[in-house]
Amino acid sequence: MKILVVDDHALIREGLRQVLRGLEDDVEVLEAGSCARAFELARQAPELDLVLLDYHLPDMNGLEALDVFARQHPALPIIVLSGSVNPRVMQLVMQKGAAAFLTKSGMSDELLSVTRLVLAGGVHMPALPQILNDEIALEVPAPLLTPRQEEVLQLLLDGYTNKEVGRMLYLSEETVKNHVSSILRSFGVTTRTQAVLAANRHGYAGSGRPQLSPDDSA
């Protein structure tokens, strides 16, 4: 497993490195003190599994960096970290396609838990003030989904892969992919992360059901 940590403070990078070692024994952590260096490392290491990105960097803010990563590495999941809590920034970061937003004041266990979720293909939606959620929900009407599409969406919200969804709903993986594509079009988005975010805004939520074991999902 290879993870890129982007932060302009060496002590923060070292602290994150130590925490991330709790994921597994062979985790490799790359470090960058600027976005320019981060983009360079990402080009040199196409096998990257995840990026932890500080929102406030000397050469570029998190939103701009997310745009660059989206163009150059669209499948690479990104967790954005910030030292401050700004609900509007949290909203914008998730709309840009981040897989999670965490504050640096959080606990190590939370970082590890969210990191595992994101590495498994899930999305961690930060809790936004209800008034802001209401404003977002009013921006566009909820799309109309078929009952089967709603079943697939529910399992996506729970973090299941296409293969796992197919097994649970007795569908071929190709059929699941077609349903996922239809869901993305319905929400007017291009990635699963954006679809999950859009679904959250319209009142859809994960069930909290337990994930399949490695043996079950094989």
Side-chain angles (χ1 to χ4, degrees), residues 78-128:
I78 299 176
I79 297 176
V80 174
L81 304 174
S82 177
S84 59
V85 181
N86 183 320
R88 183 60 65 180
V89 168
M90 293 163 65
Q91 173 205 350
L92 292 173
V93 161
M94 298 302 291
Q95 286 181 331
K96 284 287 187 179
F101 180 99
L102 292 173
T103 63
K104 293 181 180 179
S105 60
M107 302 296 290
S108 299
D109 287 347
E110 179 187 16
L111 174 61
L112 288 176
S113 176
V114 171
T115 298
R116 290 190 179 99
L117 172 68
V118 171
L119 287 169
V123 175
H124 173 73
M125 180 64 184
L128 297 174

Side-chain angles (χ1 to χ4, degrees), residues 143-208:
L144 295 176
L145 302 178
T146 66
R148 179 60 88 184
Q149 288 170 355
E150 289 194 342
E151 288 181 315
V152 172
L153 176 59
Q154 182 65 66
L155 293 174
L156 295 184
L157 291 168
D158 286 331
Y160 290 105
T161 65
N162 288 353
K163 184 176 181 179
E164 291 168 341
V165 171
R167 291 190 62 187
M168 298 174 75
L169 298 180
Y170 302 101
L171 301 172
S172 70
E173 191 169 353
E174 186 63 31
T175 298
V176 174
K177 289 180 180 179
N178 290 336
H179 282 309
V180 171
S181 295
S182 296
I183 291 169
L184 297 183
R185 287 195 299 271
S186 295
F187 282 108
V189 298
T190 57
T191 69
R192 287 169 61 116
T193 297
Q194 293 169 341
V196 169
L197 174 62
N200 287 151
R201 293 203 302 267
H202 289 295
Y204 292 96
S207 67

Side-chain angles (χ1 to χ4, degrees), residues 7-26:
D7 195 292
D8 58 324
H9 295 93
L11 285 176
I12 296 293
R13 296 197 304 271
E14 178 59 27
L16 290 172
R17 174 190 288 273
Q18 295 298 327
V19 173
L20 292 171
R21 284 176 176 165
L23 290 171
E24 57 181 52
D25 293 337
D26 63 346

